[in-house]
Amino acid sequence: MSLRTIAGASLALLLTLSLAACQTTTPGSMQGAVEVRSGVIEQITDVQISNTKTRGLGAVVGGALGLGVGSLIGGGTGRDVAMVLGTIGGAVTGNAVQRRNQEPIPGHDIIVRLTNGVLVSVTQEPTNLRVGQKVFIQGSGEDARVTPAK
């Protein structure tokens, strides 16, 4: 098996894995049965939500792309050097791009008093909700979302 074949297969595998890692669930797109609780908003606080779910992915994808591009350059020892430099350059560039895109995003910490009296806190992206509004909490854990009751 040639170095070019190995590089191509590695690139295809890394791209497939990186695309699978990027898959996310957006609010309202949860599948199957979801727990729903009702209550009234007691407090809304502005917060910053960290965006670090795919840390390191930029370097991996950039390195794989650099490896692929480097494998297309020259032949023999020159190709090997181009592959190494492409991998390093791609990893550094990919990491820088990802770091720039991982800035914290604005959000709300919403405290809801459920109908049974229990307080629940949900952190999510900003919405048009207000204190005193009747709401539903859909889901649980990191997938929980506060939505207006209609």
Side-chain angles (χ1 to χ4, degrees), residues 27-145:
S29 69
M30 293 181 252
Q31 300 293 318
V34 176
E35 177 184 0
V36 177
R37 297 166 283 174
S38 63
V40 176
I41 295 177
E42 293 265 327
Q43 177 180 328
I44 299 175
T45 307
D46 292 334
V47 295
Q48 294 291 315
I49 301 172
S50 65
N51 186 9
T52 59
K53 291 185 179 177
T54 57
R55 182 165 282 174
L57 184 62
V60 172
V61 173
L65 289 174
L67 174 67
V69 170
S71 70
L72 300 175
I73 297 173
T77 307
R79 177 180 297 145
D80 294 343
V81 170
M83 289 171 64
V84 169
L85 292 177
T87 302
I88 293 169
V92 169
T93 303
N95 189 43
V97 168
Q98 180 180 7
R99 192 174 308 132
R100 199 169 40 246
N101 290 327
Q102 284 187 329
E103 294 294 322
I105 56 175
H108 285 155
D109 183 40
I110 304 168
I111 297 179
V112 177
R113 183 170 302 276
L114 300 178
T115 53
N116 64 4
V118 173
L119 289 174
V120 176
S121 174
V122 177
T123 302
Q124 67 184 41
E125 49 287 323
T127 61
N128 291 328
L129 299 172
R130 65 189 188 302
V131 173
Q133 184 174 5
K134 291 182 180 182
V135 293
F136 293 122
I137 300 177
Q138 299 177 335
S140 60
E142 287 186 16
D143 293 328
R145 296 289 173 256

